[in-house]
Amino acid sequence: DQQVKQNSPSLSVQEGRISILNCDYTNSMFDYFLWYKKYPAEGPTFLISISSIKDKNEDGRFTVFLNKSAKHLSLHIVPSQPGDSAVYFCAANDGGSNYKLTFGKGTLLTVNP
Amino acid sequence: DGGITQSPKYLFRKEGQNVTLSCEQNLNHDAMYWYRQDPGQGLRLIYYSQIVNDFQKGDIAEGYSVSREKKESFPLTVTSAQKNPTAFYLCASSSGKVEKLFFGSGTQLSVL
C-alpha cells in the first residue's frame, strides 16, 4: 500500500527548459512534504519542503506546489541544468508521527545539454 | 565539517553470517534512522532512535537489530534471519522532529 506515489519513473528535459516532477499521496494525515535529490551511490540530500498550510514554496530555481484537495504536489525546476540530473524522491510526514518519513519510489530526471 | 559517516561503503555477506553496518554523526542530532533502498524502490524505514538507549521498529525491522549506546553512533546489524539482505543501506539523522533528514553516503550490501 503505497501512500506516496511518484508515477513517472523517469523524465527527460532539455537544458534551460522547465522540469516538472509530480507526486501524489493518499494519507490525508500527511501535513509536511519534502523533496530529496539523490545521485548514484550517494545519500539523498534535502532540496525543498512545504507545510500543508501553504500551497507554494520557492527556493531559487526550485518551487514546490501543493494541492491539498487533489492530494498532489509537484516540484518545478527552472531553468533545468545538466547538474540537476538525479533521482528525486518525494517524502511526507504526518504530525502524529514526528520521526517517520514516507518516501515515494523516485523519479529519474535527465537534463540533456 | 559536520556530517554522517557510514562504513564500509561496500560489504559482502556470506550465508548465515551476521554483519554490522556502522553509522556515526557529529551533528549533535538526537534522532537517527536506518533506511533500506532496493532498485526502483523508495526508501523504507528499518529502525529509528529518538534518544540514546531507545529505538523503535520501522516498517521492515524483521531480520535487523540496532543499538544506540552513544548519541553519535547507531550501528545496524543484518542478521542471518534477513533472507534478502542485498540492498543499499542509508543512515540518517535529524535534530528532532523529522523536518529534514541528513543522510550518510550509504553502504551497499551484497550476498556472496
Side-chain angles (χ1 to χ4, degrees), chain B residues 6-11 21-22 87-90 105-109:
Chain B
Q6 288 188 242
S7 62
K9 195 161 182 68
Y10 300 96
L11 187 59
L21 285 62
S22 171
F88 190 58
Y89 290 85
L90 287 158
S105 56
T107 293
Q108 176 63 49
L109 175 63

Side-chain angles (χ1 to χ4, degrees), chain B residues 69-81:
Chain B
E69 298 177 0
K70 297 187 299 182
K71 186 175 184 179
E72 302 79 19
S73 179
F74 192 40
L76 173 74
T77 296
V78 184
T79 74
S80 57

Side-chain angles (χ1 to χ4, degrees), chain B residues 7-25:
Chain B
S7 62
K9 195 161 182 68
Y10 300 96
L11 187 59
F12 297 90
R13 192 192 91 166
K14 296 180 181 178
E15 292 287 341
Q17 184 183 42
N18 293 353
V19 292
T20 297
L21 285 62
S22 171
C23 178
E24 303 278 333
Q25 56 100 357

Side-chain angles (χ1 to χ4, degrees), chain A residues 32 34 36 92-94 97-101, chain B residues 33 35 94 96-101:
Chain A
Y32 193 76
L34 307 90
Y36 281 85
N93 172 252
D94 71 70
S97 177
N98 291 331
Y99 293 89
K100 182 178 176 181
L101 282 181
Chain B
Y33 309 78
Y35 282 87
S94 68
K97 294 185 179 182
V98 65
E99 283 93 4
K100 187 190 299 184
L101 294 182

Side-chain angles (χ1 to χ4, degrees), chain A residues 12-85:
Chain A
S12 183
V13 300
Q14 285 299 120
E15 181 178 5
R17 307 295 287 269
I18 184 171
S19 295
I20 300 177
L21 294 92
N22 293 305
C23 177
D24 298 293
Y25 61 95
T26 58
N27 187 341
S28 58
M29 299 301 293
F30 287 148
D31 61 1
Y32 193 76
F33 304 89
L34 307 90
W35 285 93
Y36 281 85
K37 175 180 178 180
K38 184 182 181 300
Y39 294 114
E42 294 184 9
T45 55
F46 169 77
L47 195 57
I48 193 169
S49 63
I50 188 167
S51 166
S52 61
I53 62 173
K54 295 185 176 181
D55 55 18
K56 177 183 175 181
N57 189 26
E58 189 172 354
D59 183 2
R61 296 187 296 115
F62 303 92
T63 303
V64 57
F65 295 92
L66 176 62
N67 182 334
K68 285 184 293 183
S69 61
K71 293 190 176 67
H72 176 84
L73 63 156
S74 61
L75 173 68
H76 293 212
I77 306 174
V78 181
S80 301
Q81 299 173 354
D84 296 329
S85 298

Side-chain angles (χ1 to χ4, degrees), chain B residues 14-68:
Chain B
K14 296 180 181 178
E15 292 287 341
Q17 184 183 42
N18 293 353
V19 292
T20 297
L21 285 62
S22 171
C23 178
E24 303 278 333
Q25 56 100 357
N26 60 4
L27 298 167
N28 200 33
H29 285 168
D30 289 313
M32 297 187 73
Y33 309 78
W34 275 104
Y35 282 87
R36 167 178 172 148
Q37 185 190 13
D38 294 279
Q41 300 295 318
L43 281 64
R44 292 183 291 168
L45 182 64
I46 305 172
Y47 268 99
Y48 65 97
S49 168
Q50 300 173 30
I51 55 172
V52 174
N53 292 322
D54 184 59
F55 47 83
Q56 310 293 329
K57 291 182 179 180
D59 298 319
I60 54 166
E62 186 174 352
Y64 300 97
S65 66
V66 294
S67 63
R68 186 86 186 276

